[in-house]
Amino acid sequence: SVPAKSQLFLQQNPVPEYLKKAQKRLKEEQERCDKYLHPSTWNELEHRCVQVLVDHHLEIFYSEFQNLLDNDKNEDIGRMYQLVQRLPTGLQHLKQLLEDHILRVGLKAVQSCQESKETVDPKTYVQALLEVHKKYHDLVTGPFDKNALFNQALDKACIGFMNKNCVSEASNNTGKSPELLAKYCNLLLKKSSRINSEEEELESILNNVMVIFKFITEKDVFQKFYRNLLASRLVNDTSVSHDLEGSMISKLKQECGYEYTNKLQKMYTDTHTSKDLNDRFQDYCNSNPAPNESFQGFSVMVLSDGSWPYSRPNSEFNIPPELRSVHERFSQFYDKDHNGRRLSWLHNQSKGEIEWSRSKPQNIASIPMLDIPIQYSLSLQPQRFSHF
């Protein structure tokens, strides 16, 4: 009988060989039906064939499925899927097996990139997550033919190992993944980082970052770290590309909505507005020169209150007399165009450049604004200023 033949073939051959044989037999039966029988016959005939060739051996298939996953036998996995999906509920168990497998692989990948309990390299960590996702995304879109069940299995497994793993457990912090993802973005978007890529390539990498971001559960933690690091890049003018900064904010907005990126967008806009403001101030100073005043190198960033992760200083800072006039001049200029707005100077975020003109070669150092009075007391006059 046919059941006995199929059982005997399985006993004498590996499961992958049986899968090929079963597929071939089903194809032959359909060709015979098309040639000799009425089309209405096929549904019942297919049902009987699937019962004999697949349903009777389902437990063997399930046992072999794990071996196929472990050994990346994607063609055989595809054959098994094509056979088992002919059964109404046959895929449910395969879906669970795949989900459990991806979760194990993901946890193992994270464990392999952990240098110590305290130190984890953001780049290594994120790339480990991406490699696992890409591998099984290709499996789901290929052999599993984009089946929704297996998409769900992939998503659920990724949420599992990307949010709760040995790294988060070692730090006792479920927000470790969003923190490391934000720091990886900083490596990508900051000048002089360890990642040196063309802008087009960085855009592609940022798209991959968003793949991971989709599975992060504590997105508010990512926002907190990303906002602080974005502020540092913008204030210190260390962004590798302002276009990329805007692109990343747009990606986050598309994923999470306007409210999530509102402050990030205002920060980004402030940098462009401040550049225009500085250009107009320089034109104003050139058109209205003041005696014994030099504004060369003076630049200001006007930051929207409440959008930036900076608070107003609790104590007053006595601006050196040599710099007081430029502060007053800018305040007057700003008040003329922005009546009713009050400027609060964040001197703790400001800096100046000191030039030792007597040294050969000349040395220039950037120092915090709060240290400027000390330099004046040593007769070392700053040449350039950046204020916020």
Side-chain angles (χ1 to χ4, degrees):
S1 65
V2 175
K5 286 183 179 180
S6 65
Q7 184 67 41
L8 181 62
F9 189 90
L10 262 176
Q11 291 173 356
Q12 296 176 344
N13 297 274
V15 173
E17 289 301 315
Y18 178 83
L19 298 175
K20 295 176 186 176
K21 189 78 170 179
Q23 270 194 329
K24 182 181 178 182
R25 181 57 62 88
L26 281 168
K27 183 179 179 182
E28 290 171 349
E29 290 297 331
Q30 185 167 17
E31 288 174 349
R32 275 193 286 269
C33 179
D34 292 341
K35 187 177 293 187
Y36 302 115
L37 302 176
H38 192 273
S40 62
T41 311
W42 171 243
N43 287 339
E44 180 62 24
L45 179 59
E46 181 193 28
H47 174 71
R48 296 291 180 91
C49 290
V50 169
Q51 269 192 321
V52 172
L53 297 174
V54 182
D55 197 16
H56 290 174
H57 310 296
L58 209 50
E59 291 304 318
I60 297 175
F61 283 14
Y62 291 154
S63 298
E64 181 65 18
F65 185 63
Q66 187 61 57
N67 294 330
L68 300 180
L69 289 173
D70 290 339
N71 294 286
D72 299 324
K73 300 293 186 179
N74 289 359
E75 288 188 9
D76 293 328
I77 290 172
R79 292 189 185 96
M80 184 177 290
Y81 165 75
Q82 292 296 333
L83 290 170
V84 176
Q85 60 100 21
R86 294 170 182 265
L87 296 170
T89 59
L91 295 178
Q92 288 292 341
H93 191 59
L94 286 185
K95 176 247 184 188
Q96 190 59 52
L97 290 172
L98 178 67
E99 181 183 321
D100 295 342
H101 175 78
I102 297 173
L103 181 60
R104 285 194 302 271
V105 172
L107 292 173
K108 186 177 180 181
V110 172
Q111 190 172 18
S112 66
C113 74
Q114 187 182 27
E115 298 172 7
S116 70
K117 289 187 177 181
E118 292 80 21
T119 305
V120 178
D121 177 53
K123 179 182 177 182
T124 304
Y125 182 80
V126 173
Q127 287 184 343
L129 302 184
L130 281 170
E131 285 174 9
V132 175
H133 177 270
K134 184 181 185 309
K135 177 179 179 179
Y136 292 101
H137 179 266
D138 290 346
L139 183 66
V140 168
T141 56
F144 289 117
D145 199 25
K146 301 179 183 179
N147 185 285
L149 273 179
F150 295 94
N151 263 315
Q152 292 171 13
L154 174 62
D155 290 353
K156 192 173 179 181
C158 287
I159 290 171
F161 76 81
M162 289 185 186
N163 292 281
K164 189 175 181 181
N165 50 50
C166 61
V167 172
S168 62
E169 290 172 357
S171 60
N172 196 26
N173 178 10
T174 56
K176 197 64 180 176
S177 282
E179 175 189 341
L180 290 169
L181 187 62
K183 289 180 177 178
Y184 179 60
C185 290
N186 190 53
L187 288 175
L188 294 171
L189 295 170
K190 186 177 180 180
K191 292 177 185 175
S192 303
S193 70
R194 288 174 292 169
I195 301 176
N196 297 309
S197 303
E198 296 295 329
E199 188 165 327
E200 186 176 332
E201 184 181 351
L202 284 174
E203 185 74 51
S204 176
I205 298 174
L206 290 176
N207 287 333
N208 289 334
V209 166
M210 293 307 299
V211 171
I212 304 301
F213 179 79
K214 182 179 74 170
F215 298 112
I216 295 298
T217 54
E218 298 193 26
K219 290 181 170 59
D220 56 329
V221 176
F222 174 89
Q223 184 197 46
K224 174 187 172 183
F225 279 97
Y226 190 87
R227 180 171 167 237
N228 290 336
L229 294 167
L230 172 64
S232 177
R233 293 195 301 273
L234 296 179
V235 162
N236 295 300
D237 193 26
T238 56
S239 289
V240 70
S241 165
H242 281 273
D243 289 341
L244 282 175
E245 295 285 8
S247 175
M248 184 61 187
I249 293 172
S250 296
K251 296 179 198 299
L252 293 170
K253 181 180 179 181
Q254 187 175 1
E255 184 69 29
C256 296
Y258 170 80
E259 287 299 325
Y260 186 84
T261 57
N262 186 28
K263 290 181 179 180
L264 303 179
Q265 186 64 54
K266 285 184 177 179
M267 291 164 61
Y268 178 73
T269 302
D270 283 345
T271 60
H272 292 275
T273 305
S274 295
K275 185 179 183 303
D276 178 63
L277 184 67
N278 279 298
D279 290 341
R280 288 190 289 112
F281 179 60
Q282 290 296 330
D283 292 341
Y284 169 78
C285 293
N286 293 334
S287 302
N288 303 276
N292 301 320
E293 282 187 343
S294 174
F295 303 100
Q296 183 180 3
F298 178 82
S299 63
V300 175
M301 282 186 70
V302 180
L303 314 181
S304 301
D305 192 22
S307 296
W308 294 73
Y310 302 133
S311 56
R312 296 181 182 182
N314 296 322
S315 57
E316 290 293 326
F317 172 71
N318 292 321
I319 302 172
E322 295 85 351
L323 304 180
R324 199 166 295 149
S325 61
V326 70
H327 277 72
E328 293 173 352
R329 192 80 181 274
F330 180 82
S331 296
Q332 292 170 3
F333 163 78
Y334 188 82
D335 289 342
K336 286 178 64 177
D337 286 345
H338 304 85
N339 189 26
R341 295 187 187 180
R342 180 175 175 271
L343 288 175
S344 296
W345 295 87
L346 301 179
H347 297 296
N348 58 327
Q349 297 296 332
S350 306
K351 60 182 183 291
E353 287 186 352
I354 298 292
E355 181 180 311
W356 287 269
S357 57
R358 296 176 184 176
S359 64
K360 294 182 180 180
Q362 285 187 338
N363 291 318
I364 298 176
S366 179
I367 64 171
M369 181 65 180
L370 300 182
D371 291 341
I372 294 293
I374 300 174
Q375 308 304 319
Y376 269 108
S377 69
L378 299 174
S379 299
L380 297 171
Q381 296 191 2
Q383 303 298 310
R384 298 175 181 273
F385 305 96
S386 296
H387 291 103
F388 308 98

